[in-house]
Coordinates of all heavy atoms in Angstrom, one line a residue:
Chain R
F74 N -28.5 -18.4 115.6 CA -29.4 -19.1 114.7 C -28.9 -20.6 114.8 O -28.2 -21.2 113.9 CB -29.2 -18.7 113.3 CG -30.2 -19.2 112.3 CD1 -31.5 -19.2 112.7 CD2 -29.8 -19.5 111.0 CE1 -32.5 -19.7 111.7 CE2 -30.8 -19.9 110.0 CZ -32.0 -20.0 110.4
P75 N -29.3 -21.3 115.8 CA -29.0 -22.7 116.0 C -29.7 -23.7 115.1 O -30.9 -23.4 114.8 CB -29.2 -23.0 117.5 CG -30.3 -22.0 117.8 CD -30.1 -20.8 117.0
L76 N -29.0 -24.7 114.7 CA -29.6 -25.8 113.9 C -29.6 -27.1 114.7 O -28.6 -27.5 115.1 CB -28.8 -26.0 112.6 CG -29.3 -27.1 111.7 CD1 -30.5 -26.7 110.9 CD2 -28.1 -27.5 110.6
T77 N -30.8 -27.7 114.8 CA -31.0 -28.8 115.6 C -31.4 -30.0 114.8 O -32.2 -30.0 113.9 CB -32.0 -28.6 116.7 OG1 -31.7 -27.6 117.6 CG2 -32.2 -29.9 117.5
L78 N -30.6 -31.2 115.0 CA -31.0 -32.5 114.4 C -31.6 -33.3 115.5 O -31.1 -33.6 116.5 CB -29.7 -33.2 113.9 CG -29.0 -32.6 112.7 CD1 -28.4 -31.3 112.9 CD2 -28.0 -33.7 112.2
A79 N -32.9 -33.6 115.4 CA -33.6 -34.2 116.5 C -33.2 -35.6 116.7 O -33.0 -36.1 117.8 CB -35.1 -34.1 116.3
S80 N -33.0 -36.4 115.6 CA -32.6 -37.7 115.7 C -31.7 -38.1 114.5 O -32.2 -38.3 113.3 CB -33.8 -38.7 115.7 OG -33.5 -40.0 115.7
A81 N -30.4 -38.0 114.6 CA -29.5 -38.0 113.4 C -29.6 -39.3 112.7 O -29.7 -40.4 113.2 CB -28.1 -37.7 113.9
V82 N -29.3 -39.2 111.3 CA -29.3 -40.3 110.5 C -28.0 -40.2 109.6 O -27.5 -39.2 109.4 CB -30.4 -40.5 109.5 CG1 -31.8 -40.7 110.3 CG2 -30.7 -39.2 108.7
P83 N -27.4 -41.3 109.2 CA -26.1 -41.2 108.4 C -26.2 -40.3 107.2 O -25.2 -39.7 106.8 CB -25.9 -42.7 108.0 CG -26.5 -43.5 109.1 CD -27.7 -42.7 109.5
S84 N -27.3 -40.1 106.6 CA -27.4 -39.3 105.4 C -27.2 -37.8 105.8 O -27.1 -37.0 104.8 CB -28.7 -39.5 104.7 OG -29.8 -39.1 105.6
Q85 N -27.2 -37.5 107.1 CA -27.0 -36.1 107.5 C -25.5 -35.8 107.7 O -25.2 -34.8 108.1 CB -27.8 -35.8 108.8 CG -29.3 -35.8 108.5 CD -30.0 -35.6 109.9 OE1 -29.9 -36.2 110.8 NE2 -31.0 -34.5 109.8
T86 N -24.7 -36.9 107.4 CA -23.2 -36.7 107.4 C -22.9 -35.6 106.3 O -23.3 -35.8 105.2 CB -22.5 -38.0 107.1 OG1 -22.6 -38.8 108.2 CG2 -21.0 -37.7 106.9
S87 N -22.3 -34.5 106.7 CA -22.1 -33.4 105.7 C -21.2 -32.4 106.4 O -20.9 -32.5 107.6 CB -23.4 -32.9 105.3 OG -23.3 -31.8 104.2
V88 N -20.9 -31.3 105.6 CA -20.3 -30.1 106.2 C -21.4 -29.1 106.2 O -22.0 -28.8 105.2 CB -19.1 -29.6 105.4 CG1 -18.6 -28.4 106.0 CG2 -18.0 -30.7 105.3
Y89 N -21.5 -28.4 107.3 CA -22.7 -27.5 107.5 C -22.1 -26.1 107.7 O -21.2 -25.9 108.5 CB -23.5 -27.8 108.8 CG -24.3 -29.1 108.6 CD1 -23.7 -30.4 108.9 CD2 -25.6 -29.1 108.2 CE1 -24.5 -31.5 108.7 CE2 -26.3 -30.2 108.1 CZ -25.7 -31.4 108.3 OH -26.4 -32.6 108.1
F90 N -22.6 -25.2 106.8 CA -22.2 -23.8 106.9 C -23.4 -22.9 107.3 O -24.5 -23.0 106.9 CB -21.7 -23.3 105.5 CG -20.4 -23.9 105.1 CD1 -20.2 -25.0 104.3 CD2 -19.2 -23.2 105.6 CE1 -19.0 -25.4 104.0 CE2 -18.0 -23.8 105.3 CZ -17.8 -24.9 104.5
C91 N -23.1 -22.0 108.2 CA -24.0 -21.0 108.6 C -23.5 -19.7 107.8 O -22.3 -19.4 107.6 CB -23.9 -20.7 110.1 SG -25.0 -19.4 110.7
A92 N -24.4 -18.9 107.4 CA -24.1 -17.6 106.7 C -25.0 -16.5 107.2 O -26.2 -16.8 107.7 CB -24.2 -17.8 105.2
S93 N -24.6 -15.3 107.0 CA -25.5 -14.2 107.3 C -25.4 -13.1 106.2 O -24.4 -13.0 105.5 CB -25.2 -13.6 108.7 OG -24.0 -12.9 108.7
R94 N -26.4 -12.2 106.2 CA -26.5 -11.1 105.2 C -27.2 -10.0 105.9 O -28.1 -10.2 106.6 CB -27.1 -11.6 104.0 CG -26.9 -10.9 102.6 CD -27.3 -11.7 101.5 NE -28.8 -12.0 101.5 CZ -29.7 -11.3 100.9 NH1 -29.3 -10.1 100.4 NH2 -30.9 -11.6 100.9
P95 N -26.7 -8.8 105.5 CA -27.3 -7.6 106.1 C -28.8 -7.5 106.0 O -29.6 -7.1 106.9 CB -26.7 -6.3 105.5 CG -25.3 -6.9 105.1 CD -25.6 -8.4 104.7
G96 N -29.3 -8.1 104.9 CA -30.8 -8.0 104.6 C -31.2 -6.6 104.4 O -30.4 -5.7 104.4
G97 N -32.5 -6.4 104.3 CA -33.0 -5.0 104.1 C -32.8 -4.7 102.7 O -33.8 -4.4 102.0
S98 N -31.6 -4.8 102.1 CA -31.5 -4.6 100.6 C -31.0 -6.0 100.1 O -30.1 -6.5 100.7 CB -30.4 -3.6 100.3 OG -29.9 -3.7 99.0

Side-chain angles (χ1 to χ4, degrees):
Chain R
F74 192 43
L76 177 74
T77 298
L78 289 68
S80 179
V82 295
S84 61
Q85 292 178 308
T86 294
S87 188
V88 179
Y89 291 85
F90 285 99
C91 179
S93 71
R94 197 160 67 86
S98 164

